[in-house]
Amino acid sequence: MASVIRAAALALLMLLAGWMSGTASAATVDLRQTACSAALADGSSPTAVTRAHYGCGALAPMRGTPWLWLRLDPSRLRALPPRWDMLIDQTRFDRIALLVVGRNGNVQIERTPAGLRGHGAPGGLLRFVIPTPGRDVQGLYLGFRNIDELSLMRKLEARPGVRMTDGDIRWLLLMGLFTGTLLSALLYNLVIHTGQRPAFQRWYLLWVSVALAYGLVWTNTAAFLVPWLIGPLAVRLDLVLVGLMVAAGNMFFFAVIEEGVLPRRLALAGRTLAAAGAVLGFLAAADRWLPPGATDRLLNYVIAATAAVIALSAWIAARRGSRVIWFYLIGWGPVIGVFLARLARNLGFAPQNDLIDMATFAALAFEALVLSLAIADRFRLIRQELEQTRQRREIDLAETKTLRLAAHTDFLTGLGNRAAFQQQAHDWMAAGTAFSLFLVDVDFMKDVNDRLGHAVGDTLLQHVGAALVATTGGWPGTRIARIGGDEFAIMCPGDPVDEAALAEAATGLQGDIWLPEDRNRPLSLSFGSARYPEDAQAVDLLYQNADLALYTAKRLGRGRYTRYDPLQRSLRDLQIAFIDDAEAAIGRGEFLLYMQPIVLLETGAVCGHEALLRWDHPRHGLMAPDRFADVLVAERIGLMIQEHVLELALIALRTQGDRLGVLSVNFTSAQLAGPRGARAVLDRLAHHGVAPDRLCVEVTEGVMLDRAADSILANLRTLHDAGVCIALDDFGTGYASLVHLRRLPVDRIKIDRSFVAGIDESDGGTLAIVHAIVGLGGGLGKVVVAEGIETEVQALRLKQLGCQLGQGYLYGRPSPQPVVTWQAAPDRDRSRAVAH
């Protein structure tokens, strides 16, 4: 191969030696940028050419029917001596004509493609010698009959008439190196493997051959041996070679990548583009029968699509651990880059010049050198390694089977894991097997881990797994998997009768003692189920429906079984719609505050109000929080709504003065958790100029016993110390104890409406409970407020028991605009102003 390179270099030096005497470095004159154009008819006289109306810049036509004439600027030619050269980029045309208007007469040159012999120049140019000195040129016109596209013309220059310029020398040097390198690559790949060649090597040899031919033809280097191979004929042959180069390069790529690395559809798309590139190369060359602009653009689009497919394939191959792809990218990366640059130039996104073209052939030479010396032998070694890998396939299959079994097993319980669950569900659905899916959630799992430790929690999960296996043993084919931290899945093939029987058996596990040394640890499980194909026909949807049923069971109090009902899906979809609507609803002012009066039971006078949230939904009308609060409170939007409620309440206090009295606002744990919960509330009070004692913060027992209870209690104490009233809502329905009441900063205790509703029942025991709560509040110095008072009898009983404050429909329904007076409330002996 070294001898071939030396021979090519020697031939190049001998060729240059014959030209050196005429070499010149005189600057050329660029006539392309200032050219104007006009479309003329066949047989136009020189006078018609010189007097035609020429358009310049954006008004210049790019094609003419049948002749397109260019008017060039002769004022820039004054320094040129007689017999200067006119250099024109090669393109497709039927005839070319030059008209030189001089002081001593006109010079006319007209040629057909067959008459261009001897007019070739390095770099893909046509050369015409003009005898008239530049100073005598008064007009210069260049005409093409049926030119391809003027916008694709790279060069239109004038230069002194010398044998060779610096640009010519650069082109000849480049093509000498290019030819020597590609010939060496071709011979090297022919020698290294003389037997049956792999497909990728055959495609590579074809690509090198076509690339060599393309470089020699495009640059007019081939015209040294075949003088007539210039002009439109060379351009048409170049298009054919480009199409073949795209096809061979594409096929080489998809043949050389290891089998199975790329998706079949992607490889099929690449091979289809390869065939399209080869066909479009021939179609683009057939400009006598097909529109040249359309076929050229299609070829360029195929080249762009090919580059995109190869880029995607290279990315996939690299991610899947291909060893070949890195060699390919080293050798072919520069080639793809310069071809994309050429494509950008051809589509008008880059200027026309020699740099991109010279870089193209330099990149092709680099690719041939790298791949021929490194990749060919490397590919052969990789193929040998792949052959050895196939011989070890039996061992690999056995190991894979073992690993697959481990990958589908839960390490803690020995049951299947989520992957096994997914695989079994897909298999049964593919086979058309009807089955029921049960989702099982271990209730209070977090409490067990927090109080007893994760080791005991693992023991609980193992116990549940073993209990489920024992319980479902009577149903053949049942599969059990642990698919999450405390979530199990049971898949039972059969009919709905089997589902009902399994549900009954599984429900029997409720209450079992799972920790023998602690008899107070009964088992609590929540179940939800859905059935294929009745409830869903896809694994994900079936899981979602079973999960909705499980969510319903937990919402109803845990420790129970719920079967999926389509109504649950409708409700969930409605909840999701509420979440999506809520944020925009704040901006549209759809969330409103309704005020319900709180009265002194002794006198019936209004002493304050409770702010109740309403959503004036454009489709669902006015909604109370029981229709949307549960789903929104767990979302980020829930906190935004609560902050909005507080803002509306403070605005009402600021604008309505003393008419509202003390305004009670419900708070959630999210508002009070964190180090700045109380500070944020006090800052808002100060911003609106509202005294702290005008606000009453209502919280439920669940808020005070939240997992962030420490920070919530600290914030409540800060608010209490600042003068804000604190009320404990729905007292008696949660988990608050006397210990909690003693340490909580509570000013008011609100008796839940469920107790007030039964206060006049003689045998319900409710009266005694209310009596106890009122007595407890009085003993602790708390103000007791009764909710849900609807009758005079209830009001009288509460007043007799010593309850101080009350609210309910008896005194007023929630109203958007209350206008009432109020009196002082006995809150820890605080003094309140009285408005009449």
Side-chain angles (χ1 to χ4, degrees), residues 329-340:
L329 292 176
I330 291 172
W332 286 69
V335 177
I336 294 174
V338 295
F339 266 88
L340 289 177

Side-chain angles (χ1 to χ4, degrees), residues 222-246:
F224 287 110
L225 300 175
V226 187
W228 46 265
L229 191 54
I230 58 174
L233 179 60
V235 174
R236 294 186 179 96
L237 183 55
D238 286 337
L239 291 171
V240 174
L241 293 173
V242 166
L244 292 176
M245 214 167 23
V246 170

Side-chain angles (χ1 to χ4, degrees), residues 73-397:
D73 184 6
S75 64
R76 307 179 63 193
L77 309 175
R78 299 186 181 279
L80 296 179
R83 300 192 60 79
W84 52 274
D85 292 336
M86 182 78 168
L87 298 175
I88 303 168
D89 187 27
Q90 292 188 141
T91 184
R92 289 176 290 186
F93 51 79
D94 291 344
R95 299 182 73 86
I96 185 171
L98 269 169
L99 174 61
V100 182
V101 180
R103 299 180 188 275
N104 300 319
N106 297 344
V107 175
Q108 289 183 262
I109 300 174
E110 187 169 345
R111 296 285 187 274
T112 63
L116 292 174
R117 179 170 179 168
H119 286 283
L125 301 174
L126 296 176
R127 177 193 287 115
F128 293 91
V129 178
I130 310 300
T132 306
R135 63 177 178 276
D136 293 337
V137 177
Q138 296 179 336
L140 181 60
Y141 301 87
L142 174 63
F144 299 93
R145 190 180 192 279
N146 293 330
I147 187 174
D148 186 2
E149 182 74 34
L150 184 60
S151 62
L152 299 179
M153 180 177 289
R154 297 175 304 123
K155 281 189 176 183
L156 183 54
E157 298 175 346
R159 71 181 185 191
V162 294
R163 298 289 302 277
M164 183 174 292
T165 64
D166 291 342
D168 294 339
I169 293 175
R170 286 193 295 270
W171 271 112
L172 291 173
L173 282 171
L174 176 63
M175 292 315 297
L177 293 173
F178 172 82
T179 303
T181 303
L182 265 69
L183 281 175
S184 300
L186 187 62
L187 293 175
Y188 180 66
N189 278 272
L190 287 172
V191 169
I192 63 171
H193 195 78
T194 56
Q196 184 178 2
R197 302 182 187 281
F200 71 89
Q201 194 177 28
R202 294 197 298 271
W203 285 115
Y204 180 72
L205 289 172
L206 176 60
W207 187 89
V208 171
S209 302
V210 174
L212 178 60
Y214 173 73
L216 295 176
V217 173
W218 192 93
T219 61
N220 283 342
T221 306
F224 287 110
L225 300 175
V226 187
W228 46 265
L229 191 54
I230 58 174
L233 179 60
V235 174
R236 294 186 179 96
L237 183 55
D238 286 337
L239 291 171
V240 174
L241 293 173
V242 166
L244 292 176
M245 214 167 23
V246 170
N250 213 350
M251 294 300 294
F252 167 74
F253 174 81
F254 288 101
V256 80
I257 297 298
E258 299 93 334
E259 185 177 356
V261 171
L262 296 178
R264 291 184 178 180
R265 291 186 178 180
L266 191 60
L268 178 61
R271 294 186 176 97
T272 302
L273 286 173
V279 172
L280 283 172
F282 285 96
L283 295 180
D287 56 283
R288 293 182 179 276
W289 301 279
L290 297 173
T295 53
D296 282 4
R297 286 186 177 85
L298 282 176
L299 179 59
N300 283 319
Y301 294 152
V302 167
I303 294 174
T306 298
V309 169
I310 289 181
L312 176 60
S313 302
W315 180 75
I316 293 175
R319 288 191 45 110
R320 293 185 176 182
S322 170
R323 297 170 60 183
V324 175
I325 190 61
W326 302 110
F327 293 99
Y328 177 86
L329 292 176
I330 291 172
W332 286 69
V335 177
I336 294 174
V338 295
F339 266 88
L340 289 177
R342 289 183 63 132
L343 175 63
R345 184 192 67 187
N346 292 344
L347 296 177
F349 298 113
Q352 303 283 357
N353 54 53
D354 280 349
L355 294 179
I356 294 176
D357 297 313
M358 298 184 80
T360 299
F361 298 107
L364 291 175
F366 173 78
E367 182 275 338
L369 179 63
V370 172
L371 295 189
S372 63
L373 295 178
I375 295 181
D377 189 58
R378 188 60 175 169
F379 289 170
R380 183 167 57 86
L381 294 177
I382 291 175
R383 292 292 180 175
Q384 291 175 357
E385 292 174 4
L386 291 175
E387 200 60 38
Q388 295 170 1
T389 302
R390 292 191 190 97
Q391 296 174 3
R392 297 194 303 267
R393 181 168 295 174
E394 292 298 326
I395 299 175
D396 292 343
L397 288 176

Side-chain angles (χ1 to χ4, degrees), residues 608-771:
H609 288 81
E610 181 177 0
L612 302 174
L613 180 64
R614 297 292 184 268
W615 186 352
D616 190 9
H617 197 280
R619 285 197 301 119
H620 302 288
L622 194 66
M623 298 188 299
D626 57 0
R627 291 189 60 187
F628 60 85
D630 286 346
V631 67
L632 295 184
V633 72
E635 304 290 336
R636 177 187 60 86
I637 189 63
L639 181 58
M640 295 176 59
I641 293 174
Q642 289 299 123
E643 296 295 338
H644 184 62
V645 167
L646 177 61
E647 191 70 11
L648 292 177
L650 295 180
I651 292 174
L653 283 172
R654 184 187 67 195
T655 57
Q656 298 191 34
D658 292 340
R659 291 182 298 174
L660 290 178
V662 178
L663 186 58
S664 298
V665 180
N666 290 280
F667 273 61
T668 64
S669 57
Q671 286 176 279
L672 295 171
R676 289 190 49 82
R679 187 72 265 163
V681 175
L682 296 176
D683 288 345
R684 298 314 299 164
L685 284 167
H687 173 76
H688 288 283
V690 176
D693 59 3
R694 298 286 306 284
L695 177 67
C696 180
V697 172
E698 290 195 7
V699 293
T700 63
E701 299 168 8
V703 171
M704 292 190 175
L705 301 177
D706 187 84
R707 66 184 65 180
D710 291 340
S711 64
I712 291 174
L713 291 177
N715 284 317
L716 288 175
R717 289 192 181 96
T718 300
L719 292 174
H720 184 268
D721 293 343
V724 176
C725 175
I726 307 297
L728 182 60
D729 199 9
D730 299 337
F731 183 78
T733 62
Y735 305 99
S737 65
L738 294 177
V739 175
H740 292 125
L741 274 181
R742 184 172 57 83
R743 52 191 290 261
L744 296 177
V746 172
D747 300 309
R748 295 183 180 184
I749 298 175
K750 300 192 74 173
I751 304 175
D752 186 70
R753 65 182 65 250
S754 62
F755 295 120
V756 174
I759 198 172
D760 52 356
E761 298 177 2
S762 58
D763 58 349
T766 305
L767 180 62
I769 294 174
V770 174
H771 191 184

